[in-house]
Coordinates of all heavy atoms in Angstrom, one line a residue:
E1 N -23.8 180.2 158.0 CA -23.3 179.0 158.7 C -21.8 178.8 158.8 O -21.3 178.2 159.7 CB -24.0 177.7 158.2 CG -25.5 177.6 158.4 CD -26.3 178.3 157.3 OE1 -25.7 178.9 156.4 OE2 -27.5 178.1 157.3
G2 N -21.1 179.4 157.8 CA -19.7 179.2 157.8 C -18.9 180.2 158.6 O -17.7 180.2 158.6
L3 N -19.6 181.1 159.3 CA -18.9 182.1 160.1 C -18.4 181.6 161.5 O -19.0 180.6 162.0 CB -19.8 183.3 160.3 CG -20.2 184.1 159.1 CD1 -21.2 185.2 159.4 CD2 -19.0 184.7 158.4
A4 N -17.5 182.2 162.1 CA -17.0 181.9 163.4 C -18.1 182.2 164.4 O -18.9 183.1 164.2 CB -15.7 182.6 163.7
G5 N -18.0 181.5 165.5 CA -19.0 181.7 166.6 C -20.3 181.1 166.4 O -21.2 181.1 167.2
I6 N -20.5 180.4 165.3 CA -21.7 179.7 164.9 C -21.6 178.2 164.9 O -20.6 177.7 164.4 CB -22.1 180.2 163.4 CG1 -22.2 181.7 163.3 CG2 -23.4 179.5 163.0 CD1 -23.2 182.4 164.2
T7 N -22.5 177.5 165.6 CA -22.5 176.1 165.6 C -23.8 175.4 165.4 O -23.8 174.2 165.0 CB -21.9 175.6 167.0 OG1 -22.7 176.1 168.0 CG2 -20.5 176.0 167.2
N8 N -24.9 176.1 165.6 CA -26.2 175.4 165.4 C -27.2 176.4 164.8 O -27.0 177.6 164.7 CB -26.7 174.9 166.8 CG -26.9 176.0 167.8 OD1 -27.9 176.7 167.7 ND2 -26.1 176.0 168.8
W9 N -28.4 175.8 164.5 CA -29.4 176.5 163.7 C -30.0 177.7 164.5 O -30.3 178.8 163.9 CB -30.5 175.6 163.3 CG -30.0 174.5 162.5 CD1 -30.0 173.1 162.9 CD2 -29.4 174.5 161.2 NE1 -29.4 172.4 161.9 CE2 -29.1 173.2 160.9 CE3 -29.2 175.5 160.3 CZ2 -28.5 172.8 159.6 CZ3 -28.6 175.2 159.1 CH2 -28.2 173.9 158.8
N10 N -30.0 177.7 165.8 CA -30.5 178.8 166.6 C -29.6 180.0 166.4 O -30.1 181.2 166.5 CB -30.6 178.4 168.1 CG -31.8 177.5 168.4 OD1 -32.8 177.5 167.6 ND2 -31.7 176.8 169.5
D11 N -28.3 179.8 166.2 CA -27.4 180.9 166.0 C -27.7 181.7 164.8 O -27.3 182.9 164.7 CB -26.0 180.3 165.9 CG -25.5 179.7 167.2 OD1 -26.0 180.0 168.3 OD2 -24.5 178.9 167.1
V12 N -28.4 181.1 163.8 CA -28.6 181.8 162.5 C -30.0 182.1 162.2 O -30.4 182.4 161.1 CB -27.9 181.0 161.4 CG1 -26.4 180.9 161.6 CG2 -28.6 179.6 161.2
D13 N -30.9 181.9 163.2 CA -32.3 182.1 163.1 C -32.8 183.4 163.8 O -32.6 183.5 165.0 CB -33.1 180.9 163.7 CG -34.6 181.0 163.6 OD1 -35.1 182.0 163.1 OD2 -35.3 180.0 164.0
K14 N -33.2 184.3 163.0 CA -33.6 185.6 163.5 C -34.7 185.5 164.6 O -34.7 186.4 165.5 CB -34.2 186.5 162.4 CG -33.1 187.1 161.5 CD -33.8 188.2 160.6 CE -34.3 189.4 161.4 NZ -34.7 190.5 160.4
K15 N -35.5 184.5 164.6 CA -36.5 184.3 165.6 C -36.0 183.8 166.9 O -36.8 183.7 167.9 CB -37.7 183.5 165.0 CG -38.3 184.0 163.8 CD -39.4 183.1 163.2 CE -40.0 183.6 162.0 NZ -41.0 182.7 161.4
S16 N -34.8 183.3 166.9 CA -34.2 182.7 168.1 C -33.6 183.7 169.0 O -33.0 184.7 168.6 CB -33.2 181.6 167.7 OG -32.4 181.2 168.8
S17 N -33.7 183.5 170.3 CA -33.0 184.4 171.3 C -31.5 184.2 171.2 O -30.8 185.1 171.8 CB -33.5 184.1 172.7 OG -33.2 182.7 173.1
D18 N -31.0 183.1 170.6 CA -29.6 182.9 170.5 C -29.0 183.4 169.2 O -27.8 183.2 168.9 CB -29.3 181.4 170.6 CG -29.6 180.8 171.9 OD1 -29.5 181.5 172.9 OD2 -30.0 179.6 172.0
Y19 N -29.8 184.1 168.4 CA -29.4 184.7 167.1 C -28.1 185.5 167.2 O -28.0 186.4 168.0 CB -30.5 185.5 166.5 CG -30.2 186.1 165.1 CD1 -30.0 185.2 164.1 CD2 -30.3 187.4 164.9 CE1 -29.8 185.8 162.8 CE2 -30.1 188.0 163.6 CZ -29.8 187.1 162.6 OH -29.6 187.6 161.3
K20 N -27.1 185.1 166.5 CA -25.7 185.7 166.6 C -25.5 186.9 165.6 O -24.6 186.9 164.9 CB -24.7 184.7 166.5 CG -24.8 183.5 167.5 CD -24.4 183.9 168.9 CE -24.5 182.8 169.8 NZ -23.5 181.7 169.6
K21 N -26.4 187.9 165.7 CA -26.3 189.0 164.8 C -25.0 189.8 164.9 O -24.3 190.1 163.9 CB -27.5 189.9 164.9 CG -27.5 191.2 164.1 CD -28.7 192.0 164.4 CE -28.6 193.3 163.6 NZ -29.8 194.2 163.9
E22 N -24.6 190.1 166.1 CA -23.4 190.9 166.4 C -22.2 190.2 166.0 O -21.2 190.8 165.4 CB -23.4 191.4 167.8 CG -24.5 192.4 168.2 CD -24.6 193.6 167.2 OE1 -23.5 194.1 166.8 OE2 -25.7 193.9 166.8
E23 N -22.1 188.9 166.2 CA -20.9 188.1 165.8 C -20.8 188.2 164.3 O -19.7 188.3 163.7 CB -21.0 186.7 166.3 CG -20.8 186.5 167.8 CD -22.0 186.8 168.6 OE1 -23.0 187.4 168.2 OE2 -22.0 186.4 169.8
M24 N -21.9 188.0 163.6 CA -21.9 188.1 162.1 C -21.4 189.5 161.6 O -20.6 189.6 160.8 CB -23.3 187.8 161.6 CG -23.4 187.9 160.1 SD -24.0 189.6 159.6 CE -25.7 189.6 160.1
L25 N -22.0 190.5 162.2 CA -21.7 191.9 161.8 C -20.2 192.2 162.0 O -19.6 193.0 161.2 CB -22.6 192.9 162.4 CG -24.0 192.9 161.9 CD1 -24.9 193.9 162.7 CD2 -24.0 193.4 160.4
R26 N -19.7 191.8 163.1 CA -18.2 192.1 163.4 C -17.4 191.5 162.3 O -16.4 192.2 161.8 CB -17.8 191.5 164.7 CG -18.2 192.4 165.9 CD -17.4 192.1 167.1 NE -17.7 190.8 167.7 CZ -17.1 190.3 168.8 NH1 -16.2 191.1 169.4 NH2 -17.4 189.1 169.3
Q27 N -17.7 190.3 161.9 CA -16.9 189.6 160.8 C -17.1 190.3 159.5 O -16.1 190.5 158.7 CB -17.2 188.1 160.8 CG -16.7 187.4 162.0 CD -17.3 186.0 162.1 OE1 -16.9 185.1 161.4 NE2 -18.2 185.8 163.1
L28 N -18.3 190.6 159.2 CA -18.6 191.3 157.9 C -18.0 192.7 157.8 O -17.4 193.1 156.8 CB -20.1 191.4 157.7 CG -20.6 191.9 156.4 CD1 -20.1 191.2 155.2 CD2 -22.2 192.0 156.4
R29 N -18.1 193.4 158.9 CA -17.5 194.8 158.9 C -16.0 194.7 158.7 O -15.4 195.5 158.0 CB -17.8 195.4 160.3 CG -19.1 196.0 160.4 CD -19.2 196.9 161.7 NE -20.5 197.6 161.8 CZ -21.5 197.2 162.6 NH1 -21.3 196.1 163.4 NH2 -22.6 197.8 162.6
A30 N -15.3 193.7 159.3 CA -13.8 193.6 159.2 C -13.5 193.4 157.7 O -12.5 194.0 157.2 CB -13.3 192.5 160.1
F31 N -14.2 192.5 157.1 CA -14.0 192.3 155.6 C -14.3 193.5 154.8 O -13.5 193.8 153.9 CB -14.8 191.1 155.2 CG -14.4 190.5 153.9 CD1 -13.3 189.6 153.8 CD2 -15.1 190.7 152.7 CE1 -12.9 189.1 152.6 CE2 -14.7 190.2 151.5 CZ -13.6 189.4 151.5
L32 N -15.4 194.2 155.0 CA -15.7 195.3 154.2 C -14.7 196.5 154.5 O -14.4 197.2 153.5 CB -17.1 195.8 154.6 CG -18.3 194.9 154.2 CD1 -19.6 195.4 154.7 CD2 -18.3 194.7 152.7
R33 N -14.1 196.6 155.6 CA -13.1 197.6 155.9 C -11.9 197.4 154.9 O -11.3 198.3 154.4 CB -12.6 197.6 157.3 CG -13.5 198.3 158.3 CD -12.9 198.5 159.6 NE -12.4 197.3 160.3 CZ -13.2 196.6 161.2 NH1 -14.4 197.0 161.4 NH2 -12.7 195.6 161.7
G34 N -11.6 196.1 154.7 CA -10.5 195.8 153.8 C -10.8 196.0 152.4 O -9.8 196.1 151.6
L35 N -12.0 196.2 152.0 CA -12.4 196.4 150.7 C -12.7 197.9 150.4 O -13.3 198.3 149.4 CB -13.7 195.6 150.3 CG -13.5 194.1 150.3 CD1 -14.8 193.4 149.9 CD2 -12.4 193.7 149.3
D36 N -12.3 198.8 151.3 CA -12.5 200.2 151.2 C -12.0 200.7 149.8 O -10.9 200.3 149.4 CB -11.8 201.0 152.3 CG -12.1 202.4 152.2 OD1 -13.2 202.8 151.9 OD2 -11.1 203.2 152.5
G37 N -12.8 201.5 149.1 CA -12.4 202.0 147.8 C -12.9 201.2 146.6 O -12.8 201.6 145.5

């Protein structure tokens, strides 16, 4: 819920057509890139 691009429960519900999986993964990938090593 604390990620950018997220405002309501449908955004974080896998069963919803509005599920924001790609927005979540972009943010997570950026952080993990910085933790390389």
Side-chain angles (χ1 to χ4, degrees):
E1 291 88 353
L3 295 177
I6 305 300
T7 57
N8 63 70
W9 303 112
N10 286 338
D11 294 340
V12 300
D13 182 355
K14 281 190 69 174
K15 298 176 182 178
S16 168
S17 60
D18 294 328
Y19 182 59
K20 301 289 180 65
K21 176 182 176 180
E22 291 309 314
E23 285 83 344
M24 174 269 288
L25 284 174
R26 280 201 291 183
Q27 293 169 70
L28 184 56
R29 282 191 175 101
F31 195 78
L32 291 176
R33 282 196 299 271
L35 295 180
D36 183 38

